[in-house]
Amino acid sequence: MKLQQVFDFLAVTQHGSVHAAARATGQTQPAMTKSLRRLENTLGLPLFERHAKGMRPNDYGKRFLPHAQHLVHETKRARDTMAQMLGDRSGKVQYGISAVASMLLAPSAIHRFRLIYPDVELSSRSGLCHTLTPLLRDGLLDFAICPLGHDLPDAQVKARTLMNSPMAVAARRGHPMRHARSLKALQEELFAVAGPPGQPGASVYQVFEQARLGSPRVDMHTDGLIDAAALVANSDRMALLPTALITTGLLREQLEIVPVEEPLPAYVISLLQRAGQPLTPAAEELATQFAGQASSLHGALP
């Protein structure tokens, strides 16, 4: 099996026919047809269903697809690594990042990265640990920056803590209960749950249970911390949010911390990458800039 055959398989999968794939890649149609036949002969089975409007992967092709994508991504990373070690400042870095991490870390980190690698193409995917880890494991991302849930990544992924921000009860500026000193005083207040189960923003239930206060009054479940912060800033709802988001985020002028005395969980932003798989020099530099910004921000927190 040759890499060009794998590239051709992906091209036909993307474009839906040999004719369209050949035109998009600058090849002749007979050459691409021959390449696909050789790939299928090597694997010992057909990879496509042929129909009147073109071609689409059959069950074998669908199963082969993630392997093909992995091979191609790793080949490109190997080429980028060698070129960048020789001083080339081009290439591509693909990373995943949660919304809060992107808001707090990305602008400064990317600005400093661009001073060193002005021509590298950057591509980001938004998500949380449970959505980004499979992409990372399959080689579709160089690294991911996000909070860890209760379920840690598998053995193929390693995690490194970048920032640890205490959670706090957040309320809008001027909220009548903004000076409350205990969760008990907030039993009648409405809360927004900031994220899916297992994420720090959803731990308001556990916090109330640990304080032996039963369940909080929740009338809104959101996809994440940013949505919850916007709701809190524009209503009388409260939510558990990272201190870093309350004090340095875009809504910092509209939010304040309610000084409850009960212990609250931490919001930990981690950098995830595949175990035993070194980053390209450009990806390593970008990860370093994210880590540096996280350290700087952490040191500036109240």
Side-chain angles (χ1 to χ4, degrees):
M1 182 171 58
K2 296 182 178 180
L3 279 173
Q4 186 58 51
Q5 295 167 356
V6 178
F7 277 101
D8 292 341
F9 166 79
L10 291 175
V12 174
T13 299
Q14 177 183 357
H15 295 284
S17 72
V18 172
H19 175 73
R23 182 174 56 191
T25 59
Q27 299 184 62
T28 65
Q29 187 169 335
M32 181 161 284
T33 299
K34 186 176 182 180
S35 175
L36 292 177
R37 285 176 180 170
R38 286 181 172 176
L39 177 61
E40 291 177 326
N41 288 337
T42 298
L43 295 174
L45 42 78
L47 297 174
F48 291 97
E49 295 175 354
R50 276 75 173 175
H51 54 87
K53 294 184 179 180
M55 301 166 63
R56 60 174 173 263
N58 59 18
D59 288 343
Y60 298 121
K62 292 175 183 176
R63 183 63 66 89
F64 180 66
L65 179 59
H67 296 287
Q69 292 172 327
H70 181 77
L71 285 170
V72 168
H73 284 298
E74 289 308 308
T75 298
K76 290 180 178 178
R77 286 193 181 97
R79 290 173 179 171
D80 284 351
T81 295
M82 297 300 102
Q84 289 162 11
M85 290 181 71
L86 291 173
D88 190 349
R89 292 304 190 214
S90 63
K92 185 174 184 178
V93 176
Q94 297 172 287
Y95 67 95
I97 192 166
S98 66
V100 170
S102 182
M103 176 184 292
L104 297 177
L105 306 179
S108 294
I110 292 173
H111 172 72
R112 290 195 294 269
F113 172 80
R114 282 290 179 219
L115 298 177
I116 303 170
Y117 285 96
D119 299 322
V120 167
E121 178 185 348
L122 295 181
S123 176
S124 70
R125 292 282 296 270
S126 181
L128 294 171
C129 182
H130 66 285
T131 59
L132 296 176
T133 298
L135 300 177
L136 180 64
R137 187 176 55 241
D138 292 342
L140 302 180
L141 299 175
D142 290 288
F143 62 84
I145 297 176
C146 58
L148 292 182
H150 294 322
D151 297 325
L152 295 177
D154 58 38
Q156 298 180 53
V157 176
K158 63 180 181 179
R160 172 163 60 98
T161 298
L162 295 188
M163 189 175 77
N164 190 323
S165 175
M167 299 289 282
V169 177
R172 66 168 175 82
R173 293 280 179 179
H175 193 290
M177 296 299 294
R178 64 189 182 279
H179 298 304
R181 307 290 296 185
S182 70
L183 290 173
K184 186 174 182 179
L186 304 178
Q187 280 184 289
E188 299 305 315
E189 301 302 315
L190 286 175
F191 278 79
V193 175
Q199 291 297 316
S203 59
V204 63
Y205 292 107
Q206 289 78 15
V207 166
F208 268 73
E209 288 175 6
Q210 289 170 3
R212 300 183 179 180
L213 297 174
S215 296
R217 292 185 64 205
V218 174
D219 77 331
M220 190 72 186
H221 291 78
T222 71
D223 285 339
L225 297 168
I226 303 299
D227 296 332
L231 279 170
V232 170
N234 293 282
S235 72
D236 280 341
R237 294 180 184 86
M238 294 182 174
L240 281 187
L241 299 176
T243 301
L245 180 62
I246 302 170
T247 59
T248 64
L250 294 176
L251 296 170
R252 60 185 177 276
E253 300 299 329
Q254 298 170 256
L255 298 173
E256 60 181 295
I257 293 173
V258 181
V260 299
E261 296 175 350
E262 289 86 354
L264 299 176
Y267 180 79
V268 181
I269 294 178
S270 298
L271 186 145
L272 311 181
Q273 66 182 90
R274 286 174 295 162
Q277 184 67 44
L279 297 175
T280 66
E284 183 66 46
E285 181 60 39
L286 182 59
T288 298
Q289 294 299 342
F290 271 111
Q293 178 60 20
S295 178
S296 175
L297 182 61
H298 181 74
L301 291 178

